[in-house]
């Protein structure tokens, strides 16, 4: 589904760069600016620096004079502003609205470019290969004044990011990041990269050999008294059993034992 981010009358070049970066991290690249303060905002140094590598998003971005131009081809419009007090679209949290949207539970979508038979039957995310007609646009107002009421009125929903009730002020780039993340999650999200494969666990013989090496080293440095060992070695055995060291970690532990023996051997006699 085509997803577009629309910035209206943006005044800070850095926020344009931060928006491009936020979009790219979530796999979106359709950015349109409506009458920004700077005509060359896409090439300004602050924009490029804040984009932090999302230069392809900036290269694809368009600057237009009117909101009508920015919304060309879009079927579902999401304002990111509080609903005006007199009247306007419903206000919903992004996650709630996206779930409803992709489940086809918004009766307001009928006749607005979204066909019920193209909605997923179950689950929040659309099935692979299925797309809804038209596109979705997220509209963000200027940093100082937000969105104008007349721009909010034409939207299907006003998305409100849940924040602390006494401090709801979000930077424009942060707001874009949150909306982009929630929409990507609704669409299915990205897999978390797999971590490094764990090393091969040491077997019983390797663990026993390491413990024998440590017993020798601990005796050499005077920490273990062979005449009264108490339960030191059995306790260490239990500790390493719980830790389940890998073969590489056994090599490290034996290296420590070797270093202790070498230090003990080179210690001057009293």
């Amino acid at each position: 589904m085509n997803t577009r981010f629309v910035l209206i009358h943006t005044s800070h070049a850095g926020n344009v760069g931060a928006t491009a970066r936020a979009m790219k991290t979530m796999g979106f690249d359709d950015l349109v600016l409506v009458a920004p303060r700077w005509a060359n905002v896409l090439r300004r140094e602050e924009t490029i620096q804040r984009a932090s590598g999302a230069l392809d998003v900036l290269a694809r971005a368009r600057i237009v004079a009117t909101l009508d131009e920015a919304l060309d081809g879009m079927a579902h419009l999401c304002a990111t502003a509080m609903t005006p007090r007199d009247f306007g679209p419903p206000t919903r949290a992004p996650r709630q609205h996206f779930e409803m949207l992709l489940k086809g539970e918004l009766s307001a979508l009928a006749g607005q470019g979204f066909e019920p038979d193209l909605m997923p039957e179950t689950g929040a995310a659309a099935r692979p290969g299925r797309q809804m007609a038209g596109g979705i646009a997220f509209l963000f107002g200027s940093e100082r004044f937000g969105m104008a009421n007349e721009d909010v009125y034409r939207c299907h929903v006003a998305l409100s990011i849940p924040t602390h009730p006494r401090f709801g002020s979000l930077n424009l780039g942060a707001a874009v990041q949150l909306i982009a993340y929630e929409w990507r999650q609704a669409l299915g999200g990205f897999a978390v990269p797999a971590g490094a494969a764990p090393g091969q666990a040491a077997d019983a013989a390797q663990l026993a050999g390491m413990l024998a090496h440590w017993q020798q080293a601990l005796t050499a440095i005077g920490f273990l008294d062979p005449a009264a060992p108490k339960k030191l070695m059995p306790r260490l055995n239990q500790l390493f059993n719980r830790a389940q060291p890998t073969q590489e970690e056994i090599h490290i532990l034996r290296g420590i034992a070797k270093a202790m023996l070498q230090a003990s051997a080179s210690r001057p006699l009293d």
Side-chain angles (χ1 to χ4, degrees):
M1 183 180 182
N2 187 24
T3 300
R4 181 173 299 166
F5 289 80
V6 179
L7 304 186
I8 306 170
H9 303 309
T10 309
S11 58
H12 296 291
N15 283 334
V16 175
T19 294
R21 179 180 184 180
M23 290 171 57
K24 183 165 184 175
T25 61
M26 293 296 113
F28 303 116
D29 61 7
D30 189 353
L31 172 63
V32 180
L33 311 179
V34 179
R37 177 184 179 187
W38 309 98
N40 67 338
V41 67
L42 296 173
R43 301 186 301 276
R44 291 181 71 87
E45 182 179 355
E46 185 180 1
T47 305
I48 294 171
Q49 288 179 347
R50 291 287 300 278
S52 190
L55 301 182
D56 53 336
V57 178
L58 294 179
R60 286 175 51 92
R62 295 181 292 120
I63 296 178
V64 297
T66 67
L67 184 56
D68 283 334
E69 295 174 86
L71 299 180
D72 182 47
M74 297 292 102
H76 190 70
L77 309 182
C78 300
T80 53
M82 294 299 294
T83 304
R85 293 182 181 179
D86 48 359
F87 70 96
T91 299
R92 295 190 182 95
R95 190 172 303 177
Q96 174 197 17
H97 182 69
F98 297 156
E99 182 176 355
M100 295 171 67
L101 177 65
L102 292 177
K103 282 185 176 180
E105 295 176 0
L106 290 178
S107 59
L109 291 178
Q112 294 174 357
F114 290 91
E115 299 297 332
D117 62 340
L118 292 181
M119 298 289 186
E121 292 83 357
T122 59
R127 291 180 180 177
R130 299 182 112 188
Q131 292 186 347
M132 290 181 286
I136 185 169
F138 299 111
L139 284 62
F140 297 82
S142 70
E143 293 89 338
R144 292 186 61 190
F145 305 109
M147 289 183 62
N149 283 356
E150 56 266 29
D151 293 337
V152 178
Y153 293 151
R154 66 190 299 178
C155 294
H156 300 96
V157 67
L159 298 179
S160 178
I161 297 170
T163 59
H164 191 285
R166 282 185 276 179
F167 191 73
S169 177
L170 280 170
N171 170 268
L172 176 58
V176 172
Q177 185 73 79
L178 286 168
I179 295 294
Y181 171 78
E182 290 288 355
W183 181 231
R184 175 54 65 192
Q185 290 299 104
L187 294 174
F190 295 121
V192 176
Q200 185 173 353
D203 59 28
Q206 291 169 324
L207 182 59
M210 182 274 294
L211 285 169
H213 201 170
W214 266 64
Q215 182 173 2
Q216 182 184 6
L218 292 173
T219 301
I221 64 172
F223 188 85
L224 172 64
D225 181 1
K230 300 183 179 179
K231 297 185 182 299
L232 176 60
M233 296 314 300
R235 290 186 182 278
L236 286 177
N237 199 151
Q238 288 297 301
L239 185 155
F240 287 118
N241 280 343
R242 291 194 301 272
Q244 297 181 325
T246 63
Q247 293 183 4
E248 183 179 47
E249 290 165 344
I250 289 292
H251 291 320
I252 293 172
L253 291 168
R254 295 199 70 155
I256 294 172
K258 180 179 179 181
M260 287 192 291
L261 286 167
Q262 290 174 338
S264 175
S266 62
R267 184 173 56 192
L269 298 175
D270 293 335

